[in-house]
Amino acid sequence: MAATSRDVAREAGVSQATVSRVLTAGTPVSEKTRARVMDAMARIGYVPNRAARTMKTGRTGTIGVVVADLGNPFYPQLLEALSRSLDASDHRMTVWVSDGGKNQAALDAIREGTVDGVIFTTVTEHSHELARALEQRSPLVLVNRTVEGADCDQVSSANRQGAGLIANYLVAHGRTRIAFIGGTPLASTTAQRLGGFSDRLARLGHPLPDELVAHGAYTHESGCRTAAQLLHLNPGINALVCSNDLLAFAALDTAKAAGIRVPEDLWVIGYDDIQQSSWRSLNLTTVRQDVAQLAAEATRLLLARLDDPDRPAIRVELEPTLVVRASSAFAPA
């Protein structure tokens, strides 16, 4: 005979009402009690009836997540963190991989009642789907990429501040012949990191020339092509700053192919501090944004939005840190 919630209550030494609260998303219950009930469920093999819970609460217990190209290692890392965070709050996760059309599919899922809300990681200010979702007051959170002025909850690294740390670091070590490689200018990550970097350089007396700024796609192939062009046209460059780690890896490959020594001739710096950045073969100096904290904040804000749809939108910016490695000769920050 299948285990019941009454069996869980008896095993955990709590009331059946407490078990119900633990199984109901958004219902307050202490972490100690939640852990006791979840442990009891695991011991006796209890599987919640999600269909029954949906009928009772009006919620599916499922959150949608939209990500971009999984060829960028940042997104699998963010997905993993979101999965852990949502699982800890007793929610399932369903994923759409793409920009554009898949954004609309995720919003359709909200209207159809197959997900309770959506976490977007890839929108831009020109997203028509986002504009319609905001008009319809759909429960959603933007994480990593943000949209200025959007009336919704948003979580990101303090990108301008993080890029300013790079500018301070390079100038302090006399690396002032600098080029910058970014992804699409429509992405907030590109715009904010370039803006913060160039503004800080200008305040330090070393403005960034327009001809030393190049944009492409957030792919290794595009990064190689852009880095090769910059290094060929500007042989005096002694530092190459990239708006994410994937582009920085491309810059490292390009420099090696061109016989340019890193870090002796050229420093390369990225942004994100994805797991591969610490690999000894790459050893990339970069700005760290805490992916686990990004995921936790996005989960917290979305669940709070589901509980209180009319509360004011919240913008969270997480403190970045500069991580120094071999690609800048371990020069101290």
Side-chain angles (χ1 to χ4, degrees):
M1 181 180 297
T4 67
S5 61
R6 189 182 302 275
D7 298 325
V8 175
R10 185 164 44 248
E11 177 73 15
V14 299
S15 69
Q16 195 170 0
T18 297
V19 175
S20 179
R21 287 199 299 274
V22 170
L23 294 175
T24 302
T27 304
V29 62
S30 74
E31 287 304 314
K32 183 178 179 180
T33 299
R34 182 183 300 278
R36 184 192 303 175
V37 171
M38 298 301 286
D39 287 344
M41 288 170 54
R43 284 196 300 272
I44 68 175
Y46 175 73
V47 179
N49 186 328
R50 289 189 174 265
R53 286 173 57 191
T54 299
M55 291 179 64
K56 179 180 178 181
T57 65
R59 295 190 189 176
T60 65
T62 300
I63 301 298
V65 179
V66 181
V67 297
D69 181 10
L70 292 179
N72 181 349
F74 173 78
Y75 288 105
Q77 194 170 326
L78 179 57
L79 271 180
E80 183 180 356
L82 284 168
S83 178
R84 287 196 302 267
S85 183
L86 289 167
D87 186 63
S89 65
D90 194 30
H91 284 76
R92 292 180 175 178
M93 180 176 77
T94 187
V95 179
W96 288 270
V97 183
S98 183
D99 277 320
K102 294 299 178 68
N103 291 348
Q104 185 57 51
L107 297 174
D108 290 342
I110 298 177
R111 288 197 300 273
E112 294 164 2
T114 55
V115 300
D116 296 325
V118 177
I119 297 172
F120 286 98
T121 70
T122 59
V123 296
T124 70
E125 62 181 322
H126 298 291
S127 169
H128 300 299
E129 296 85 5
L130 175 63
R132 284 197 292 272
L134 295 177
E135 290 173 3
Q136 297 162 3
R137 301 183 64 80
S138 300
L140 58 89
V141 173
L142 309 185
V143 62
N144 182 47
R145 288 191 193 176
T146 59
V147 175
E148 198 65 35
D151 187 20
C152 63
D153 299 315
Q154 307 188 55
V155 185
S156 70
S157 166
N159 289 307
R160 293 182 63 88
Q161 178 186 343
L165 295 176
I166 300 174
N168 291 340
Y169 177 65
L170 291 175
V171 171
H173 289 283
R175 296 272 168 163
T176 55
R177 298 193 300 278
I178 306 165
F180 183 94
I181 297 176
T184 171
L186 296 177
S188 62
T189 45
T190 299
Q192 292 166 6
R193 293 169 190 177
L194 173 57
F197 183 66
S198 60
D199 287 352
R200 185 60 184 158
L201 277 182
R203 287 198 295 273
L204 292 171
H206 299 280
L208 181 65
D210 290 342
E211 62 269 19
L212 294 183
V213 177
H215 294 283
Y218 273 126
T219 66
H220 184 271
E221 180 183 10
S222 177
C224 286
R225 186 167 53 248
T226 306
Q229 183 178 21
L230 279 172
L231 293 171
H232 175 71
L233 295 176
N234 305 277
I237 292 173
N238 61 16
L240 193 52
V241 175
C242 304
S243 61
N244 76 357
D245 289 348
L246 182 62
L247 295 179
F249 297 160
L252 289 173
D253 283 348
T254 301
K256 184 175 182 179
I260 298 172
R261 299 173 302 165
V262 176
E264 293 86 353
D265 304 323
L266 178 73
W267 285 11
V268 176
I269 300 181
Y271 200 114
D272 284 339
D273 194 30
I274 60 178
Q275 294 169 351
Q276 292 87 342
S277 297
S278 64
W279 292 358
R280 279 179 289 183
S281 59
L282 296 169
N283 232 337
L284 178 70
T285 294
T286 183
V287 174
R288 174 181 296 156
Q289 55 174 339
D290 190 329
V291 174
Q293 193 176 358
L294 281 174
E297 288 293 330
T299 299
R300 179 183 68 83
L301 289 178
L302 184 55
L303 298 185
R305 175 65 56 193
L306 294 173
D307 289 336
D308 184 5
D310 297 322
R311 69 167 175 76
I314 295 175
R315 175 73 184 272
V316 176
E317 285 193 337
L318 304 181
E319 187 88 7
T321 55
L322 181 67
V323 181
V324 174
R325 297 194 180 101
S327 69
S328 62
F330 292 106

